[in-house]
Amino acid sequence: VMTDALPAITPEAQALLAQSKAAMGGAAWDRICAISQQADEEITQLKGQSETVTSLCAQRLFAHTHVGPFERARGYDGRDYWLSENDNYLLVHSPPSSEEVDKLYVAFRAWWYPSRWPAKIETAGQLHKHGRTYQILRIEPQGGSSLDLWIDAQTHEGAGWGTTDDTGRVTTLWEDYRTVQGVRLAF
């Protein structure tokens, strides 16, 4: 994690983040140091599984996906981001690319914990989509690009995030929330 600059979070953004954290488990998040997720995957009629282990406290990540004949692993060791596909190569980025930083920032829920990854955070208005209203936080993680965190205006739960990559605007929506060990997680 880069620590050259202090995070710049506007008071409005801090208030919105506090509401969101409270709605999603509050202080219970302070006791969560790792999240392990397993999922069934289906890509163009090929089925498989994925596993992701995120160490929130140590800021490390490992993910492995196996779908049909394809296999992919990626990880972050606190300094380097790496990727391997079908055991054919190992690609290491040091430092991580801006797109990788954005994904790590989201995985570490760094908006609630500025010491995990410094960022500039400010409110960016509201968005009305899918019959709902979302409050938007514009986040610029150090070393990353700009991403938008969507927070449901009614429940205050995180609803997703959006960023721009080589293919254009990409939005990931979170839903099917369940409580696990006192925190709300999207399934």
Side-chain angles (χ1 to χ4, degrees), residues 46-114:
L46 296 174
K47 294 183 182 200
Q49 296 180 325
S50 67
E51 177 181 18
T52 303
V53 178
T54 306
S55 174
L56 302 172
C57 297
Q59 296 149 12
R60 307 285 190 267
L61 179 129
F62 173 77
H64 179 259
T65 303
H66 188 239
V67 177
F70 305 104
E71 195 167 358
R72 180 179 208 193
R74 63 185 173 90
Y76 177 71
D77 65 8
R79 188 187 72 173
D80 300 328
Y81 188 95
W82 58 269
L83 173 71
S84 176
E85 291 186 357
N86 293 330
D87 293 328
N88 289 333
Y89 65 88
L90 177 65
L91 179 64
V92 178
H93 291 155
S94 184
S97 71
S98 61
E99 183 178 331
E100 293 160 348
V101 166
D102 293 346
K103 290 177 182 178
L104 291 166
Y105 186 88
V106 171
F108 298 148
R109 279 110 171 134
W111 49 79
W112 291 331
Y113 303 94

Side-chain angles (χ1 to χ4, degrees), residues 2-3 20 37 43 45 57 62 66 69 79 83 91 111 113 128-129 136 146 184:
M2 300 169 220
T3 57
S20 174
Q37 300 167 288
I43 302 172
Q45 299 181 345
C57 297
F62 173 77
H66 188 239
R79 188 187 72 173
L83 173 71
L91 179 64
W111 49 79
Y113 303 94
H128 305 281
K129 209 168 184 98
I136 306 299
S146 179
R184 302 280 291 154

Side-chain angles (χ1 to χ4, degrees), residues 23 40-41 46 55-56 63 78 82 88 118-119 135 142 147-148 150 158-159 164 182 184:
D40 292 326
E41 301 282 342
L46 296 174
S55 174
L56 302 172
W82 58 269
N88 289 333
Q135 295 171 300
Q142 188 173 9
L147 62 98
D148 291 339
W150 296 21
T164 303
R184 302 280 291 154

Side-chain angles (χ1 to χ4, degrees), residues 112-135:
W112 291 331
Y113 303 94
S115 65
R116 290 182 183 167
W117 209 290
K120 177 182 174 187
I121 306 175
E122 60 190 8
T123 56
Q126 292 187 339
L127 175 68
H128 305 281
K129 209 168 184 98
H130 314 294
R132 303 189 87 139
T133 300
Y134 303 100
Q135 295 171 300

